[in-house]
Amino acid sequence: MVVYSFYIFDRHAECIYKKKWPSRPTSTGSRSQQANGLPDGPPQQKALSAEDDAKLVFGTIFSLRNMVRKLGGEDDRFISYRTGQYKLHYYETPTSLKFVMVTDTKTNNLRIVLHQIYVSLYVEFVVKNPLSPVEHPRGIGVNCEMFELGVEQFVNASLMR
């Protein structure tokens, strides 16, 4: 399984943590070139900034979560969605923190994994840390080395086998 990125959003729609992992090269990823040296096919899209990327992810989960609630009622929950390129996994805590992980399409549901990250890493290293702010105003994110190390080790040990 390949994990592309991981985000945490607070209840004010601010991205308080983001982590991206480099994508692994694939053998089918080579593209043929025309005689002038340009690749065949559609042009590559310009990469988004980290802030714009986080806003796009939050907008997507906000819209999909609202659509699921309107179509299915209050009891239905938005868990994940899949495209041809990736799968987005979603977990919302009782305090309205939103944990989002983007993986390859072959990955099973990671709701339990996101809950484990919340309980065993976020609560232990961020919430219980007296130096960590309770609120993250103006996008000031999680700045805890132990949390970052824990996320890295957890993802590498559990998901990227």
Side-chain angles (χ1 to χ4, degrees):
M1 165 175 42
V2 178
V3 176
Y4 299 124
S5 56
F6 174 64
Y7 302 89
I8 301 175
F9 298 96
D10 68 2
R11 61 190 174 119
H12 304 292
E14 295 286 339
C15 183
I16 60 172
Y17 182 78
K18 58 184 158 266
K19 169 78 175 154
K20 290 193 172 206
W21 285 269
S23 59
R24 298 179 189 166
T26 59
S27 60
T28 60
S30 62
R31 298 179 64 175
S32 62
Q33 292 188 342
Q34 299 174 356
N36 62 2
L38 298 174
D40 287 334
Q44 293 289 330
Q45 292 182 344
K46 183 180 174 184
L48 296 173
S49 71
E51 185 178 328
D52 289 342
D53 191 35
K55 287 179 183 179
L56 183 63
V57 169
F58 184 82
T60 302
I61 61 170
F62 180 81
S63 299
L64 289 172
R65 188 189 64 188
N66 287 341
M67 184 181 71
V68 167
R69 285 187 180 156
K70 286 182 181 179
L71 293 176
E74 286 297 318
D75 293 337
D76 285 341
R77 301 268 186 242
F78 168 63
I79 297 171
S80 68
Y81 83 95
R82 180 188 324 234
T83 69
Q85 303 291 330
Y86 63 91
K87 186 172 182 180
L88 184 139
H89 307 270
Y90 176 73
Y91 174 72
E92 186 170 355
T93 69
T95 57
S96 297
L97 286 172
K98 295 151 186 72
F99 288 71
V100 179
M101 189 170 283
V102 180
T103 64
D104 65 344
T105 58
K106 300 173 191 150
T107 307
N108 292 331
N109 185 4
L110 294 181
R111 184 174 174 84
I112 294 171
V113 170
L114 293 173
H115 176 73
Q116 288 175 336
I117 291 172
Y118 169 64
V119 170
S120 61
L121 297 175
Y122 188 82
V123 170
E124 291 298 320
F125 296 125
V126 178
V127 174
K128 292 182 179 179
N129 183 351
L131 300 176
S132 181
V134 175
E135 294 287 326
H136 299 275
R138 297 177 305 281
I140 296 172
V142 173
N143 189 14
C144 179
E145 192 173 313
M146 293 298 293
F147 175 73
E148 292 181 22
L149 183 63
V151 167
E152 184 74 31
Q153 289 177 345
F154 184 83
V155 168
N156 287 335
S158 302
L159 303 176
M160 293 186 163
R161 294 180 232 161

